[in-house]
Amino acid sequence: MPVHQVVLIAGDGIGPEVAAATRRVLEKADAPIQWEEHRAGLSALEKGMTVLPESTLDAIIQRGVALKGPCTTPVGGGFTSVNVGLRKRLNLYAAVRPVRSMPGVPTRFEGVDLVIIRENTEGLYSGVENELTQGVVMSMKVATEAACSRIAHWAFRYATQRKRRKITVFHKANIMKITDGLFLRCARREHQRDYPNIEYEELIIDAGCMKMVQNPGQFDMLLLENLYGDVVSDLCAGLVGGLGVVPGANIGDQQAVFEAVHGSAPDIAGKGVANPLALIMSAVMMLNHLADTRDDNACRAAAGKIKAAYDQALADGCKTRDLGGEMGTESFADAVIDRLKG
Ligand code: NAI
């Protein structure tokens, strides 16, 4: 049976806690993974390394797949984001965030089942900011035809492979006529040329957000540029119980890095109360990715076992504090492990 070498970046804040819990669940589910631990973020700085060490990037390039905990980015100054740097350096252009209602997690809506596809490499995240003159600053929003077409093509192909029915693009092309206009033109072209069978819709983002919180069931897949994707991901997380239950993947043509949507949650770090589920779910996405790309049934089996176990744990009322329960990080992981079958 092949064993896959996977890079593990525990990250900052709650990262090491949720990463340890996730690792334990995968080991108990007999996932054929051998972890290779590397640093990024504050934990790398503390060891005298740069925030995004070349050795970490090299390891991901070599292994092809990584599981990553959140990395802290200082607000309003300090070093630039490790997460953005990683996505850009490895050209992980497609962020995929499935958002679904979880058993045993009551929320305002039932049956939410959305997939968010976020362009991960440009837009306002280009990080080109200047002070033009005192009191006048600017931030440049970059959009290229190549990246807009690439993400649109990726989203439609994903929709076809996963048998999704509709893609909605959220945009602000009424105001940002050139940049968001290009994003829309590329999406329309991909749709018309190659994927006319997938339903296609465009909504100005402010109205789209209102419709989302009124009735998320009208959406199936969302396609967004970088910043909109970031904000709308958290909004959608709020529809299904919060950031503790939304996993994610950053996918490029050569590498893939799996990480939860949530950040390092400094307010609860070190207390043993963080919900590890979003990272466990990200690890399940990673196992399915390995199964798809390396044709490995053992990964698929482990992914299925873990998913069934956490669904059962939630249905049995096992919950961390963010979901209204009382369990800690480790005891929730134990509850999942207790329900692994087969
Ligand atoms: P955050 O996602 O860390 O926290 C927002 C709120 O959700 C907090 O109240 C936190 O306690 C709660 N929360 C988040 N994850 C949770 C979990 N697993 N279990 C229980 N509660 C959870 O967002 P915030 O506070 O905006 O950012 C904190 C730091 O994380 C910043 O430095 C930010 O740059 C970084 N960040 C990193 C990301 C990444 O590495 N991919 C993504 C988002 C933020």
Side-chain angles (χ1 to χ4, degrees), residues 22 25-26 67 98-102 240 243-248 258-260 275-288 303 306-307 310-311 314 332:
T22 302
V25 170
L26 264 67
L67 182 69
V99 178
R100 73 174 171 102
S101 301
M102 306 295 288
V240 295
L243 287 166
V245 294
V246 180
F258 295 81
E259 64 178 337
N275 188 349
L277 185 51
L279 193 63
I280 295 172
M281 293 168 80
S282 306
V284 166
M285 288 177 77
M286 181 192 86
L287 289 168
N288 282 323
I306 297 168
K307 179 176 181 302
Y310 63 64
D311 276 351
L314 290 173
F332 181 77

Side-chain angles (χ1 to χ4, degrees), residues 105-135:
V105 182
T107 54
R108 208 164 283 140
F109 302 103
E110 283 173 14
V112 177
D113 178 12
L114 285 168
V115 179
I116 298 171
I117 308 289
R118 164 186 175 189
E119 202 292 320
N120 232 2
T121 60
E122 51 182 37
L124 278 167
Y125 277 67
S126 62
V128 183
E129 288 194 308
N130 290 311
E131 181 167 9
L132 298 178
T133 180
Q134 204 183 0

Side-chain angles (χ1 to χ4, degrees), residues 12 14 18 68-75 81-84 87 97 118 230 234 242-245 250 259-269 273-279 320-323 329:
D12 304 320
I14 59 171
V18 293
K68 176 185 162 295
C71 292
T72 298
T73 308
V75 174
S81 165
V82 171
N83 310 306
V84 174
R87 294 166 195 164
R97 280 124 182 234
R118 164 186 175 189
D230 182 35
D234 279 31
L243 287 166
V245 294
N250 302 293
E259 64 178 337
V261 170
H262 65 71
S264 54
D267 51 337
I268 55 167
V273 298
N275 188 349
L277 185 51
L279 193 63
T320 43
R321 289 202 323 205
D322 54 311
L323 299 180
T329 311

